[in-house]
Amino acid sequence: MAAHVTFERALAPLSAVRPELAQNALRTLRPGGGGAAGLMLALRYVQARFLSVWGLLIAALLCPPQMFADFAIYSALANFLSIAALLRFETVFFQNSDPDRLGRAFRLSLVAGCGFLALVALAAFVSSGLGLVLAGHAALFVLSLAGRAAIRLATAEATAEGDFRAIGNAGLVQALIQPSAMLALILPFGASSLALFAADAIGHAVSATYLSWRRRFAFQQLALRAEWSLRELRRSARQWSAAPRFLLPSALLSFGFSVAPLFALPFTSDPIFAAHVALAMRLLDVPTQMFGAVTLPLVMSSLRRRQGPARRRWARILTVGLVVVAFALFAGAAGFALILDPWLEETQWHGIGAVLAILSLFYAGIALVSPLNEIGTLSRDPQHPMVINAVAAVATVAIIAWFGKLSPALLCAVGVMSLLRMGAHACLTWTGFGGRGAAGRLPQGSRI
């Protein structure tokens, strides 16, 4: 379902526009210009989100509800693996602008990505041979994952260099191509999982191609700056080993929590309710990612201009402001969904308003954690955000196991857990902000 673009573009993980990368890129921009550059990226990102909504709505009309649940699992798995594809070595781009260092980071990320994709392709081939998945689905999954990995690497490099226009345009390209590909496949051949998976792969491939073409000259310099050698790759992997050891687990835990309701989809005997949950998640992901795309660059830019007690006071003010805005945003979304639901009484989507209202609790917490987690990287104890994400993920799995099936009560429970997780991040920002931050506390040989 090409409409999944509202779900995977920029979840933790993901996709061509990632708010945490936009925040890091502010460090490379001239003083005073970061906020404006971040705001322009946010505006382009919002454009892409609105363009993709029409594809989501059309897909809801053309596709059986069960396809939403099936594709939700497919999309979540692809996004999860895409986070690990480069082993987070792409974060090295934000250390400094030394050309030799950037070249080494680029080559290491490229090798890590190719090796990871080769392993995934082998696993897909074996699964297809054993009859566990269809050959077409396996091939499209690998292609889609390759597109996501390429977007992640190209986005990291472009963001580090401040090319926000290329990143924003890549988002717009995918928002146009993916729904169009979906319609081009469904209208003549009918709705099927293969058409949805193919549209997903096409959208990511075209977006990755566009972004890579825009950054082709920079890539040439990074790839050819020094002779490729195993010695260089081993040295780089040892130097930046903190990326896969620290950042990767934290990112995977955060993403895993953000898609927690999907884990409960197989535990239901009501496919309509499962489809309602899957569609509601995609709809609510739109304001969630808009919130992150707008707040992250602006919040981190404003904090960068302050030091000491002034920065601590401003962080607390921002925390309160973010909480107020997020709750107002998602309360409005929940109210609108409940008002709209009676108009769907004669359709297969009647009842989705209540699901949207319940999931608004969950997504309010998800939206707030994105900027709060980035603020937390400047705290005195930067390892705490990873611990919070781990505890929340384990608790959520326990909650799903306790309920045993997908239900409104389960959705309420994971919503409360999301709010508790957000509250823990807010307390960390309020009480532990300051100090040297994450990078300053890592061993010298493994700083990222």
Side-chain angles (χ1 to χ4, degrees):
M1 175 179 65
H4 84 290
V5 71
T6 63
F7 174 67
E8 46 73 21
R9 299 234 348 125
L11 256 181
L14 55 325
S15 210
V17 180
R18 297 196 300 131
E20 69 271 23
L21 290 180
Q23 175 263 311
N24 285 325
L26 294 175
R27 301 169 186 167
T28 68
L29 301 176
R30 66 183 185 276
L39 182 58
M40 289 304 298
L41 174 62
L43 291 176
R44 287 180 179 271
Y45 187 77
V46 169
Q47 283 182 300
R49 300 278 56 76
F50 278 119
L51 285 173
S52 63
V53 166
W54 70 268
L56 177 63
L57 298 177
I58 293 177
L61 295 175
L62 297 179
C63 300
Q66 183 59 36
M67 286 189 180
F68 282 88
D70 294 340
F71 188 82
I73 298 174
Y74 169 93
S75 178
L77 179 60
N79 289 321
F80 184 79
L81 291 178
S82 71
I83 296 174
L86 306 180
L87 301 182
R88 295 290 282 164
F89 284 125
E90 75 274 14
T91 59
V92 179
F93 280 103
F94 307 113
Q95 287 186 14
N96 57 53
S97 59
D98 177 62
D100 178 68
R101 188 186 189 92
L102 294 179
R104 290 170 53 207
F106 181 83
R107 292 188 290 274
L108 180 61
S109 299
L110 193 60
V111 170
C114 290
F116 186 87
L117 288 172
L119 292 176
V120 172
L122 178 62
F125 176 78
V126 172
S127 299
S128 176
L130 295 176
L132 300 177
V133 296
L134 297 176
H137 289 180
L140 289 172
F141 182 84
V142 174
L143 179 60
S144 181
L145 182 60
R148 285 171 164 86
I151 289 173
R152 182 176 293 274
L153 179 57
T155 299
E157 189 281 330
T159 307
E161 295 300 320
D163 191 359
F164 283 14
R165 181 182 295 273
I167 299 171
N169 287 345
L172 292 174
V173 167
Q174 183 173 352
L176 287 171
I177 294 297
Q178 200 156 310
S180 300
M182 176 197 67
L183 292 178
L185 292 170
I186 289 180
L187 292 179
F189 304 111
S192 68
S193 297
L194 189 64
L196 303 182
F197 297 169
D200 174 81
I202 292 171
H204 283 91
V206 172
S207 180
T209 300
Y210 169 82
L211 190 54
S212 299
W213 179 82
R214 281 288 302 263
R215 303 299 304 168
R216 63 191 184 281
F217 297 117
F219 289 174
Q220 291 173 6
Q221 294 296 320
L222 294 174
L224 304 177
R225 185 165 294 281
E227 182 179 356
W228 289 68
S229 67
L230 290 176
R231 179 183 177 184
E232 174 198 288
L233 293 173
R234 285 196 297 266
R235 180 167 67 93
S236 300
R238 285 194 300 268
Q239 180 179 357
W240 300 318
S241 62
R245 287 192 295 118
F246 292 99
L247 296 185
L248 181 57
S250 181
L252 293 176
L253 286 168
S254 182
F255 178 84
F257 184 87
S258 70
V259 296
L262 292 181
F263 298 147
L265 289 184
F267 304 105
T268 180
S269 58
D270 186 355
I272 298 297
F273 183 69
H276 286 184
V277 173
L279 178 58
M281 291 182 66
R282 279 147 188 78
L283 290 172
L284 288 172
D285 189 63
V286 175
T288 300
Q289 300 310 320
M290 286 182 181
F291 182 86
V294 172
T295 60
L296 264 174
L298 301 180
V299 164
M300 299 308 293
S301 177
S302 64
L303 286 173
R304 185 182 59 172
R305 296 194 294 268
R306 294 171 172 83
Q307 299 295 330
R311 173 183 283 185
R312 186 176 300 109
R313 287 193 299 270
W314 187 239
R316 292 178 175 180
I317 294 174
L318 287 175
T319 299
V320 175
L322 289 171
V323 170
V324 171
V325 173
F327 274 94
L329 175 64
F330 284 92
F336 178 78
L338 292 175
I339 294 174
L340 183 64
D341 197 48
W343 295 85
L344 303 174
E345 186 172 356
E346 301 299 327
T347 72
Q348 61 189 0
W349 299 109
H350 179 61
I352 196 175
V355 176
L356 280 164
I358 296 173
L359 282 175
S360 293
L361 293 174
F362 179 78
Y363 275 93
I366 295 295
L368 277 165
V369 165
S370 181
L372 292 178
N373 193 53
E374 289 302 313
I375 295 175
T377 62
L378 303 175
S379 71
R380 291 188 296 268
D381 300 296
Q383 71 276 14
H384 285 177
M386 185 175 68
V387 174
I388 293 172
N389 290 335
V391 171
V394 172
T396 301
V397 171
I399 289 173
I400 294 175
W402 173 267
F403 279 90
K405 67 176 182 178
L406 183 65
S407 66
L410 172 60
L411 297 181
C412 289
V414 297
V416 171
M417 179 56 62
S418 179
L419 294 181
L420 291 175
R421 173 174 173 256
M422 179 275 296
H425 279 281
C427 289
L428 179 63
T429 302
W430 190 272
T431 62
F433 189 81
R436 298 174 63 190
R441 296 179 65 89
L442 292 175
Q444 181 64 28
S446 63
R447 287 185 65 183
I448 44 174

